[in-house]
Amino acid sequence: MSSLTNYLRAESIAIITEQPTSATISFLNVIPSTSTKTLLYSGDDVIVVSATTGNSYSLTLSTNFDYNSTRLQFTTVTLEEVIPLGSYILLSKEYKWNSLFRKNSLNHLHLYQQGNTHGNDLLMAFTQYNFNVNSGAILSTGTYTGNNWGARYGFFNAPHNGCQVERINYKFTTNAGAGEIFVFSLWKKPVTENGTTATALTLIDSYSMTSQNNAQYVFSASITPSLADGAINANEVIVPSIKKEGTKVSSTKMYGDIEILTSFDPRTSVI
């Protein structure tokens, strides 16, 4: 057995048990394992390596793949050859290395907001999660704010070599009447360490909610920011804010619960 074959066997997550009848395929039969856990999810990419030619082809899964699955299903493709029995399914290098060298952190934020009819973005009072500090403006990407915002209004500091916001989960409820609109925003902001220079905000994501005139109604969303929007560089902090649009009633209240999933490289990161 060649060293290449040994390598492919060691790296493979599945081995093909039946040769397809055509080069146009949407599934491959594989040897199952015994575990019932999910290994890969719909949308993940894998590579099939032909056991005879050594050619490799990228496949995008169309359904989840469990360890005990007997069939790998993917978006229909037409390959240059019929994939033979004994061919190998491998993880893409990007998926593999990200899995090995990325760790996740779940970051939690509570929100309470009451009052105001001015429409400016409100910032979080230090340690209270009470958003009652008037920023004095309607914030936007490019807005320069004081350097001390990172220490006063931020709730997440990036590792020294940065991290990635992978997903944001929102839950909000309000006793507001019909017509009131609330916009919650997450901003990233560089901090001038041991200095005073002001820096600009950049929007990571914003979530707009129009009151349903029902205090039992829960607004919910799960957001995956783009790679660019979710990239948090070294020395950056995440600053949350909330503002009102449309009808503004000073007595209405807003409650929120926000979960932010970040990933980072544990080999070089220091939280």
Side-chain angles (χ1 to χ4, degrees):
M1 188 178 291
S2 70
S3 58
L4 176 58
T5 300
N6 286 332
Y7 171 79
L8 292 174
R9 280 185 174 273
E11 291 291 307
S12 68
I13 59 170
I15 297 177
I16 296 170
T17 59
E18 183 180 340
Q19 180 172 302
T21 58
S22 167
T24 299
I25 52 176
S26 60
F27 68 89
L28 289 166
N29 293 325
V30 298
I31 299 173
S33 182
T34 56
S35 174
T36 59
K37 293 182 179 180
T38 300
L39 173 61
L40 298 167
Y41 291 89
S42 178
D44 285 342
D45 293 327
V46 296
I47 297 169
V48 56
V49 179
S50 170
T52 54
T53 66
N55 292 334
S56 62
Y57 306 95
S58 179
L59 306 172
T60 301
L61 299 191
S62 59
T63 61
N64 294 350
F65 180 74
D66 298 336
Y67 282 98
N68 65 345
S69 297
T70 59
R71 175 173 288 189
L72 186 80
Q73 296 179 271
F74 41 84
T75 304
T76 301
V77 293
T78 299
L79 307 180
E80 297 175 359
E81 60 186 297
V82 175
I83 299 299
L85 170 73
S87 295
Y88 305 99
I89 304 294
L90 281 67
L91 293 174
S92 69
K93 286 185 177 180
E94 181 180 7
Y95 184 96
K96 178 180 178 180
W97 300 131
N98 279 345
S99 298
L100 285 174
F101 300 131
R102 301 293 290 181
K103 296 295 183 182
N104 294 322
S105 173
L106 192 61
N107 310 280
H108 182 82
L109 174 67
H110 285 302
L111 174 145
Y112 171 75
Q113 185 273 320
Q114 179 182 13
N116 95 76
T117 57
H118 49 67
N120 292 337
D121 276 274
L122 293 170
L123 305 171
M124 180 176 65
F126 188 65
T127 75
Q128 297 179 14
Y129 300 108
N130 186 359
F131 284 66
N132 60 7
V133 179
N134 187 350
S135 70
I138 297 174
L139 302 177
S140 62
T141 292
T143 298
Y144 274 77
T145 61
N147 190 49
N148 67 2
W149 274 40
R152 294 182 65 182
Y153 308 123
F155 90 104
F156 175 83
N157 292 319
H160 78 272
N161 66 334
C163 64
Q164 184 73 32
V165 176
E166 302 287 354
R167 186 172 290 272
I168 306 167
N169 291 329
Y170 297 119
K171 293 285 188 298
F172 290 95
T173 188
T174 179
N175 66 349
E180 288 203 71
I181 301 171
F182 298 82
V183 181
F184 177 81
S185 299
L186 290 169
W187 312 89
K188 52 186 175 181
K189 173 182 170 62
V191 172
T192 305
E193 295 184 334
N194 303 310
T196 60
T197 303
T199 57
L201 299 172
T202 300
L203 184 66
I204 300 172
D205 187 65
S206 65
Y207 182 47
S208 180
M209 298 154 281
T210 301
S211 175
Q212 303 298 298
N213 195 27
N214 186 333
Q216 297 302 314
Y217 188 91
V218 175
F219 299 90
S220 181
S222 185
I223 306 298
T224 301
S226 69
L227 288 176
D229 291 342
I232 310 298
N233 296 320
N235 304 330
E236 287 189 327
V237 300
I238 296 178
V239 177
S241 72
I242 190 167
K243 66 182 178 181
K244 288 185 176 181
E245 295 180 344
T247 303
K248 304 176 185 70
V249 180
S250 63
S251 61
T252 55
K253 301 176 182 179
M254 171 63 80
Y255 304 87
D257 192 84
I258 302 97
E259 298 282 354
I260 302 176
L261 178 67
T262 59
S263 68
F264 59 96
D265 187 337
R267 297 172 297 170
T268 55
S269 294
V270 175
I271 298 293

